[in-house]
Amino acid sequence: MAKMPAPSAASVDKPRKKVDKTHFLYIAVIAAVILGAVLGLVAPELAKSLKPIGTAFIGLIKMMIAPIIFCTIVLGIGSIAKAATVGKVGGLALGYFMLMSTFALGIGLVVGNIVQPGEGLDISGASYETETKEGEGTVDFLLGIIPTTLLSSLTGKSILQTLFVALLVGFALQKMGTAGKPILRGIGHIQALVFRILIMIMWLAPIGAFGAIAAVVGETGVQAIVSMFTLMAAFYATCILFIVVILGGLLKIVTGINIFKLMKYLGREYLLIFSTSSSEAALPRLIAKMEHLGVSKPVVGVTVPTGYSFNLDGTAIYLTMASLFVASALGTPLALGEQISLLIFMIIASKGAAGVTGAGLATLAGGLQSHRPDLVDGVGLIVGIDRFMSEARALTNFTGNAVATVLIGTWTREIERSQVDEVLAGRLPFDESTMSAGHFEDARADTVEDGAETTTDIAEAHIARREEEKVGATR
């Protein structure tokens, strides 16, 4: 009997490819949405009886709103302070990010008002009872923002109180300087815990989506399916137009670079993002490719990581369009004043809403809870189609950060234009085998070990590492 050949050391030591479990979640949500819609059409009464399933899932999401908003805002303010200390690049980047994300939120509101995807759906009878305040004046509204105690803002029903206290804590920690770093580090650990709980809850999304979609379709019939497809189509169209017209036009005017050439250069990253539904997966590669494109290392090291927290164009469009959809679907559209105040809330709360599954959904629920608590229940509609829109969000966020890096490199004169032309023309291809993204990963590991978990900490470590290499090369 012939002996089987002994396995080589290479075959034994070769690590198995890690399977991304979120793919299974994605498939399960799609299947749940389809099954829920079918059940709603075939057995409406049975489908309507499943409404408590969707109610329970939305309850779990609502439970996470206050801690997510608090941690995100406090750490976000700390990141702004640190990014600004990097100098001209950091200040310019933050100014651009705030302006562009606000513009994206505004576009979402305009398109949402024009398209009105939830018009005619009217599922107000399917929503559960919530407390509403009638006749609340401006003075009462402003006084209501101040919580009874500092901690009651985290346990009460008012998200505006949570936002108010988070802003106070964030600015107070800024004033504390180095003494506040341990507290920021502790809040960073709390945020990691909160997001871990949120990820666990999101594994129940297929069940929640099944109950919510089944109940809504059972109540309204085919109209619910049509409305949801209208929202998705409008959102995708808006993201495409934003990338091509707004980002592409700005890039062409400032730098003369064609947006399609830049997108072609980043083709592999787009495939990676589309397959994972997360722009975070392409962060190290974007850093490496922007440096190869000709943008200076300090500009890339500050702009790209900071942009991943503060330049979320796709998420901004999604938040406003989804809010208008929910309000219209429940038969109580948002008035112009409510839309403007919601826009202001989303400008602050949307920072850091990307990168973690379900964070955008929690931010959406937080915005609705702060202005119209009676609309939070409608988030159940969005749960079913959220994953269908996640690719467009991620791709738009990624493209926005790539364009921002080139623009800021141009404004600060930290870009080699001749190299840009050579790279985009294909005469200077990116070497996949020697990709320098590993330097960023090393910086991430070092900073996390030191307790610095914000993107700006990683950016500063990345720059410091590059400077050390530069000094070593000149010796």
Side-chain angles (χ1 to χ4, degrees):
M1 183 175 177
K3 291 183 178 180
M4 294 293 291
S8 63
S11 63
V12 172
D13 296 335
K14 186 178 180 180
R16 292 183 179 180
K17 185 178 180 181
K18 188 176 181 180
V19 179
D20 185 1
K21 294 180 180 179
T22 58
H23 286 300
F24 300 114
L25 178 61
Y26 192 4
I27 295 170
V29 169
I30 294 174
V33 170
I34 295 173
L35 290 174
V38 170
L39 182 64
L41 294 173
V42 175
E45 294 303 319
L46 174 61
K48 284 188 281 186
S49 69
L50 297 177
K51 180 174 156 289
I53 297 176
T55 302
F57 180 75
I58 296 303
L60 290 172
I61 293 293
K62 289 168 68 175
M63 176 182 74
M64 305 303 299
I65 293 173
I68 286 176
I69 294 296
F70 178 80
C71 294
T72 299
I73 299 304
V74 171
L75 293 175
I77 292 175
S79 295
I80 289 176
K82 291 178 182 179
T85 61
V86 176
K88 181 180 179 182
V89 174
L92 185 60
L94 287 169
Y96 171 81
F97 293 156
M98 294 299 291
L99 181 64
M100 189 55 69
S101 59
T102 303
F103 185 67
L105 284 165
I107 289 177
L109 281 181
V110 171
V111 175
N113 279 289
I114 293 174
V115 177
Q116 296 184 338
E119 188 73 20
L121 186 55
D122 194 7
I123 57 170
S124 55
S127 62
Y128 31 87
E129 297 179 2
T130 53
E131 295 181 8
T132 57
K133 296 181 180 179
E134 298 292 339
E136 185 182 69
T138 303
V139 175
D140 293 331
F141 172 78
L142 293 175
L143 290 176
I145 296 176
I146 304 174
T148 306
T149 67
L150 197 65
L151 296 179
S152 67
S153 63
L154 298 175
T155 58
K157 295 182 179 180
S158 175
I159 296 302
L160 287 178
Q161 291 183 357
T162 306
L163 180 65
F164 176 69
V165 171
L167 290 171
L168 288 179
V169 172
F171 287 120
L173 287 173
Q174 269 191 26
K175 295 296 183 181
M176 290 175 66
T178 55
K181 285 186 177 180
I183 302 175
L184 272 175
R185 191 176 301 126
I187 294 176
H189 290 309
I190 294 174
Q191 185 191 50
L193 172 63
V194 169
F195 279 151
R196 176 56 58 185
I197 296 173
L198 181 63
I199 291 171
M200 292 166 62
I201 291 173
M202 289 308 297
W203 277 100
L204 298 175
I207 300 174
F210 174 75
I213 297 298
V216 171
V217 174
E219 184 78 24
T220 63
V222 180
Q223 181 61 41
I225 301 174
V226 173
S227 296
M228 287 186 286
F229 270 102
T230 303
L231 174 62
M232 287 190 292
F235 177 66
Y236 269 83
T238 304
C239 287
I240 292 171
L241 289 174
F242 183 83
I243 290 173
V244 175
V245 178
I246 305 301
L247 294 179
L250 187 59
L251 185 67
K252 187 69 175 178
I253 292 171
V254 175
T255 68
I257 296 173
N258 188 306
I259 185 70
F260 295 108
K261 288 185 177 180
L262 181 63
M263 293 175 70
K264 181 182 178 182
Y265 171 62
L266 300 171
R268 289 198 179 190
E269 287 66 44
Y270 283 118
L271 290 175
L272 178 63
I273 293 168
F274 188 80
S275 63
T276 60
S277 299
S278 172
S279 58
E280 292 281 341
L283 173 57
R285 291 183 59 88
L286 180 60
I287 288 179
K289 280 206 162 182
M290 286 295 101
E291 290 180 0
H292 175 72
L293 185 65
V295 184
S296 71
K297 292 176 175 62
V299 170
V300 174
V302 172
T303 305
V304 175
T306 307
Y308 264 69
S309 289
F310 296 97
N311 190 37
L312 310 174
D313 300 329
T315 303
I317 296 170
Y318 161 81
L319 289 173
T320 46
M321 289 187 69
S323 298
L324 292 178
F325 169 77
V326 169
S328 182
L330 289 174
T332 53
L334 293 169
L336 180 60
E338 290 176 317
Q339 291 184 26
I340 294 174
S341 61
L342 180 67
L343 176 72
I344 295 172
F345 177 89
M346 292 299 188
I347 289 172
I348 302 172
S350 64
K351 303 300 174 280
V356 179
T357 302
L361 202 63
T363 304
L364 171 64
L368 295 175
Q369 177 77 24
S370 67
H371 292 76
R372 291 277 299 278
D374 56 307
L375 298 180
V376 179
D377 307 334
V379 175
L381 275 175
I382 302 297
V383 172
I385 57 176
D386 178 74
R387 285 306 299 250
F388 293 102
M389 297 190 286
S390 61
E391 285 86 358
R393 285 202 308 264
L395 291 172
T396 306
N397 291 341
F398 178 80
T399 306
N401 287 319
V403 170
T405 305
V406 177
L407 290 175
I408 292 169
T410 302
W411 286 328
T412 57
R413 298 180 181 178
E414 293 285 338
I415 187 171
E416 289 288 341
R417 187 50 198 265
S418 59
Q419 184 171 335
V420 172
D421 295 335
E422 290 292 308
V423 170
L424 296 183
R427 292 187 291 269
L428 189 59
F430 181 73
D431 190 349
E432 297 285 347
S433 62
T434 59
M435 190 184 76
S436 59
H439 295 289
F440 179 79
E441 292 300 326
D442 292 340
R444 176 188 289 272
D446 292 343
T447 51
V448 169
E449 286 179 3
D450 293 336
E453 299 177 348
T454 63
T455 50
T456 37
D457 290 330
I458 300 170
E460 291 168 1
H462 177 64
I463 295 169
R465 183 179 296 275
R466 293 299 195 187
E467 292 301 321
E468 289 176 4
E469 292 175 352
K470 191 181 295 182
V471 171
T474 57
R475 289 177 179 173

Coordinates of all heavy atoms in Angstrom, one line a residue, residues 109 113 136 138 141-142 160 320 323-324 327 332-347 367 370-372 375:
L109 N -32.3 65.9 1.7 CA -33.6 66.5 2.0 C -34.3 67.0 0.7 O -35.5 66.8 0.6 CB -33.4 67.7 2.9 CG -33.1 67.4 4.4 CD1 -33.0 68.7 5.2 CD2 -34.3 66.6 5.0
N113 N -37.8 65.4 -0.7 CA -39.0 66.2 -0.8 C -39.5 66.1 -2.2 O -40.8 66.2 -2.4 CB -38.7 67.6 -0.4 CG -38.8 67.8 1.1 OD1 -39.8 67.8 1.7 ND2 -37.6 68.0 1.7
E136 N -46.2 72.3 22.2 CA -45.0 72.7 22.9 C -44.3 73.9 22.2 O -44.0 73.9 21.0 CB -44.0 71.5 22.8 CG -42.7 71.8 23.6 CD -41.8 70.6 23.5 OE1 -41.2 70.4 22.4 OE2 -41.6 69.9 24.5
T138 N -41.5 77.3 21.8 CA -40.1 77.3 21.7 C -39.3 77.3 23.0 O -38.3 76.7 23.2 CB -39.7 78.6 20.9 OG1 -40.4 78.6 19.6 CG2 -38.2 78.6 20.6
F141 N -39.4 74.0 24.5 CA -38.5 73.1 23.8 C -37.1 73.3 24.2 O -36.3 72.3 24.5 CB -38.7 73.3 22.3 CG -37.6 72.6 21.4 CD1 -37.8 71.3 21.1 CD2 -36.5 73.3 20.9 CE1 -36.9 70.6 20.4 CE2 -35.6 72.6 20.1 CZ -35.8 71.3 19.8
L142 N -36.7 74.5 24.3 CA -35.3 74.8 24.7 C -35.0 74.4 26.2 O -33.9 73.9 26.5 CB -35.0 76.3 24.6 CG -35.0 76.8 23.1 CD1 -34.8 78.4 23.1 CD2 -33.9 76.2 22.3
L160 N -32.0 64.8 22.5 CA -31.4 66.2 22.5 C -30.7 66.4 23.8 O -29.6 67.1 23.9 CB -32.4 67.2 22.3 CG -33.0 67.3 20.8 CD1 -34.1 68.4 20.8 CD2 -31.9 67.6 19.8
T320 N -31.0 61.6 5.7 CA -32.1 62.5 5.5 C -33.2 61.9 4.6 O -34.4 62.1 4.9 CB -31.6 63.8 4.8 OG1 -30.7 63.5 3.8 CG2 -30.8 64.7 5.8
S323 N -35.2 59.5 6.7 CA -36.1 60.2 7.7 C -37.3 60.7 7.0 O -38.4 60.5 7.5 CB -35.3 61.4 8.3 OG -34.2 60.9 9.0
L324 N -37.2 61.3 5.8 CA -38.4 61.8 5.1 C -39.3 60.6 4.7 O -40.5 60.7 4.7 CB -37.9 62.6 3.9 CG -37.2 63.9 4.2 CD1 -36.8 64.6 2.9 CD2 -38.1 64.8 5.0
A327 N -41.3 59.4 7.8 CA -42.3 60.3 8.1 C -43.5 60.3 7.2 O -44.7 60.3 7.6 CB -41.7 61.7 8.2
T332 N -47.4 61.3 8.4 CA -47.1 62.6 9.2 C -45.8 63.2 8.7 O -44.8 63.1 9.3 CB -47.0 62.3 10.7 OG1 -46.1 61.3 10.9 CG2 -48.4 61.9 11.2
P333 N -45.8 63.8 7.5 CA -44.6 64.4 6.9 C -44.0 65.4 7.8 O -44.7 66.1 8.6 CB -45.1 65.0 5.6 CG -46.4 64.3 5.3 CD -47.0 64.0 6.6
L334 N -42.7 65.6 7.7 CA -42.0 66.6 8.5 C -42.2 68.0 8.0 O -42.1 68.2 6.7 CB -40.5 66.2 8.6 CG -40.0 65.0 9.3 CD1 -38.6 64.7 9.0 CD2 -40.3 65.1 10.8
A335 N -42.5 68.9 8.8 CA -42.6 70.3 8.4 C -41.2 70.8 8.1 O -40.2 70.3 8.5 CB -43.3 71.1 9.5
L336 N -41.2 72.0 7.4 CA -39.9 72.6 7.0 C -39.0 72.9 8.2 O -37.8 72.6 8.2 CB -40.1 73.8 6.2 CG -38.9 74.6 5.7 CD1 -38.1 73.7 4.8 CD2 -39.3 75.9 5.0
G337 N -39.6 73.4 9.2 CA -38.8 73.7 10.5 C -38.2 72.4 11.1 O -37.1 72.4 11.5
E338 N -39.0 71.4 11.1 CA -38.6 70.1 11.6 C -37.5 69.5 10.8 O -36.5 68.9 11.3 CB -39.7 69.1 11.7 CG -40.8 69.4 12.8 CD -42.0 68.5 12.7 OE1 -42.4 68.1 11.6 OE2 -42.4 68.1 13.8
Q339 N -37.6 69.7 9.5 CA -36.5 69.2 8.6 C -35.2 70.0 8.8 O -34.1 69.3 8.8 CB -36.9 69.4 7.1 CG -38.1 68.5 6.7 CD -38.4 68.6 5.2 OE1 -37.6 69.0 4.4 NE2 -39.7 68.3 4.8
I340 N -35.3 71.3 9.0 CA -34.0 72.0 9.2 C -33.4 71.6 10.6 O -32.2 71.5 10.7 CB -34.4 73.5 9.2 CG1 -34.8 74.0 7.8 CG2 -33.2 74.4 9.7 CD1 -35.3 75.4 7.7
S341 N -34.2 71.5 11.6 CA -33.7 71.1 12.9 C -33.1 69.7 12.9 O -32.1 69.4 13.5 CB -34.7 71.2 14.0 OG -35.8 70.4 13.7
L342 N -33.8 68.8 12.1 CA -33.2 67.5 11.9 C -31.9 67.5 11.2 O -31.0 66.8 11.5 CB -34.2 66.6 11.1 CG -33.8 65.2 10.8 CD1 -33.8 64.4 12.1 CD2 -34.8 64.5 9.9
L343 N -31.8 68.4 10.2 CA -30.5 68.6 9.4 C -29.4 69.0 10.4 O -28.3 68.4 10.3 CB -30.7 69.6 8.4 CG -29.5 70.0 7.5 CD1 -29.1 68.9 6.6 CD2 -29.7 71.3 6.8
I344 N -29.7 69.9 11.3 CA -28.7 70.4 12.2 C -28.2 69.2 13.2 O -27.1 69.0 13.4 CB -29.2 71.5 13.1 CG1 -29.4 72.7 12.1 CG2 -28.2 71.9 14.2 CD1 -30.1 73.9 12.8
F345 N -29.2 68.4 13.6 CA -28.9 67.3 14.5 C -28.1 66.3 13.8 O -27.1 65.8 14.3 CB -30.2 66.6 15.0 CG -30.0 65.4 15.8 CD1 -29.9 65.5 17.2 CD2 -29.9 64.1 15.2 CE1 -29.7 64.4 18.0 CE2 -29.7 63.0 16.0 CZ -29.6 63.1 17.4
M346 N -28.4 66.0 12.5 CA -27.7 65.0 11.7 C -26.3 65.4 11.4 O -25.3 64.6 11.3 CB -28.4 64.6 10.4 CG -29.7 63.9 10.6 SD -29.5 62.3 11.5 CE -31.2 61.7 11.3
I347 N -26.0 66.7 11.3 CA -24.7 67.3 11.0 C -23.7 66.8 12.1 O -22.6 66.4 11.9 CB -24.7 68.8 10.9 CG1 -25.4 69.2 9.5 CG2 -23.3 69.4 10.9 CD1 -25.6 70.7 9.4
G367 N -32.1 60.5 15.4 CA -32.5 61.7 14.8 C -34.1 61.8 14.9 O -34.6 62.9 15.3
S370 N -35.3 62.3 18.5 CA -35.0 63.6 19.1 C -36.1 64.7 18.6 O -36.3 65.7 19.3 CB -33.6 64.1 18.7 OG -33.6 64.3 17.3
H371 N -36.7 64.4 17.5 CA -37.6 65.4 16.9 C -39.1 64.9 16.9 O -40.0 65.7 17.2 CB -37.2 65.7 15.5 CG -35.9 66.5 15.4 ND1 -34.7 65.9 15.6 CD2 -35.7 67.8 15.2 CE1 -33.7 66.9 15.5 NE2 -34.3 68.0 15.3
R372 N -39.2 63.7 16.5 CA -40.6 63.1 16.4 C -40.5 61.7 16.9 O -40.4 60.7 16.1 CB -41.1 63.1 15.0 CG -41.3 64.5 14.4 CD -42.7 65.0 14.8 NE -43.7 64.1 14.2 CZ -44.2 64.2 13.0 NH1 -43.7 65.1 12.2 NH2 -45.1 63.4 12.5
L375 N -42.2 58.7 15.2 CA -41.7 58.1 13.9 C -40.7 57.0 14.1 O -40.4 56.4 13.1 CB -41.1 59.3 13.1 CG -42.0 60.4 12.7 CD1 -41.3 61.4 11.9 CD2 -43.3 59.9 11.9

